[in-house]
Amino acid sequence: MSQLQAEKAAMARVGGGKIIHISNDTYLGQSVYDIHVLFHHIVYDVKIVQMTGQVIEIKRASEQPGIVSSTPLTKSSSSGAVSAASSGISMSQAERLALKAVGGGVVVHISPDHFHNALVFDIHVKNFNQMWDVKINPFTGRVIEKRLATENTVGETHSGSSRSQDQTPQTSKSQDTIESESKSVPSVPSASGTISYGIKLRTVPSAYQSYVTEALHQENGTLKWVKFIHKDNGDIQVNIKIRRHPGGNIKVKDVFNSSGQLIRQTVEH
């Protein structure tokens, strides 16, 4: 059975809907298509035997989208590319946004996923010797989270759609340009130094000015306040409260390790 036939069979058994994920898998000793179908705001997990076309399991997926957009992710079988509906972004656009978010590198994995009950593109980017996990809203293109992933090598096996380092085109930037754009915060100032912890500041310490400026540019807003939190493990969390234009507030959380390296960024609406 072809992938296109499997997709049609899965939607027929569920009763309609849209394909938001398909991958090759093994189930009960057989090679199957693992297909997720979004139908009436519910995600169904359908497993179809590749050789015979037999549907051997249908169940509600463990991750549900909750309230989803009227334009959910779709799978285009003819092109083999996962894309959003017309009001969203394509997989290629999501890859470019992920590369920009971490300063360059190579996309080694991308697939539709769920994060905090919302549909996202889950993208892994290898930049030098670091692997970043980036989650992007497929409808707005907003970077919801970026953090150092647990995988440290390109050779990790992933489920779902993936791309190897050799298959993914390099960015147009030279390696020297990428390296110069990689930011590294100086040694984290101590609590007795220029940073006051646990209080809202209107003036940003110079060591963190570039990160705050980038967050303001990314969210198209102005700074309300910034607050530094010293974690028990030595990490520094920087909460950046932003007044967006037009209207609304948003918070960006940057987390730095004890060496001053940015290890995670989360955006809260």
Side-chain angles (χ1 to χ4, degrees):
M1 171 177 271
S2 70
Q3 181 172 301
L4 176 59
Q5 291 172 321
E7 291 178 347
K8 290 181 178 178
M11 288 189 291
R13 290 297 298 270
V14 169
K18 293 181 180 295
I19 303 296
I20 61 172
H21 170 80
I22 183 168
S23 63
N24 299 320
D25 205 347
T26 301
Y27 184 70
L28 300 179
Q30 301 182 84
S31 295
V32 300
Y33 290 114
D34 181 26
I35 307 172
H36 289 189
V37 182
L38 179 63
F39 184 53
H40 288 173
H41 306 300
I42 297 175
V43 176
Y44 295 90
D45 186 354
V46 184
K47 290 182 172 59
I48 299 179
V49 179
Q50 294 182 1
M51 289 294 294
T52 65
Q54 179 186 4
V55 178
I56 58 175
E57 183 179 70
I58 300 177
K59 66 177 183 179
R60 287 185 59 155
S62 58
E63 295 178 316
Q64 294 296 325
I67 300 175
V68 299
S69 166
S70 60
T71 54
L73 289 175
T74 60
K75 174 85 175 184
S76 173
S77 301
S78 59
S79 64
V82 178
S83 65
S86 58
S87 62
I89 64 171
S90 68
M91 177 180 280
S92 296
Q93 289 173 316
E95 289 181 345
R96 289 195 292 271
L97 290 169
L99 290 169
K100 180 180 179 181
V102 302
V106 177
V107 173
V108 297
H109 167 79
I110 181 169
S111 67
D113 205 346
H114 293 90
F115 182 69
H116 292 173
N117 293 322
L119 290 168
V120 298
F121 280 121
D122 179 35
I123 307 170
H124 288 189
V125 178
K126 182 174 175 61
N127 189 10
F128 295 101
N129 294 322
Q130 295 178 327
M131 187 77 75
W132 288 90
D133 184 353
V134 184
K135 291 179 173 58
I136 293 179
N137 185 308
F139 307 109
T140 66
R142 184 176 302 280
V143 177
I144 299 173
E145 181 184 66
K146 64 178 181 182
R147 61 182 176 84
L148 287 175
T150 54
E151 299 93 335
N152 291 316
T153 61
V154 174
E156 294 286 340
T157 300
H158 303 279
S159 61
S161 303
S162 64
R163 301 191 178 189
S164 69
Q165 186 174 11
D166 292 337
Q167 293 172 323
T168 306
Q170 294 286 344
T171 61
S172 59
K173 300 176 184 177
S174 69
Q175 199 72 355
D176 290 340
T177 302
I178 292 172
E179 186 170 10
S180 67
E181 290 179 353
S182 298
K183 300 187 185 71
S184 178
V185 140
S187 297
V188 178
S190 65
S192 60
T194 59
I195 291 181
S196 298
Y197 292 89
I199 62 174
K200 297 176 182 178
L201 305 174
R202 298 294 189 270
T203 303
V204 182
S206 59
Y208 295 91
Q209 184 65 58
S210 63
Y211 291 95
V212 174
T213 300
E214 181 180 344
L216 295 176
H217 177 73
Q218 176 180 307
E219 300 302 330
N220 187 30
T222 55
L223 180 67
K224 292 191 69 175
W225 49 260
V226 60
K227 182 164 67 174
F228 293 83
I229 300 172
H230 196 281
K231 300 287 191 177
D232 291 339
N233 63 357
D235 291 349
I236 301 294
Q237 178 175 309
V238 184
N239 294 343
I240 308 168
K241 190 72 170 183
I242 299 171
R243 182 184 294 106
R244 296 185 63 197
H245 306 296
N249 297 319
I250 200 167
K251 183 187 289 184
V252 175
K253 293 182 178 180
D254 285 350
V255 179
F256 301 86
N257 62 20
S258 58
S259 299
Q261 178 187 36
L262 178 65
I263 58 175
R264 185 170 66 254
Q265 182 182 79
T266 306
V267 179
E268 294 184 354
H269 296 271

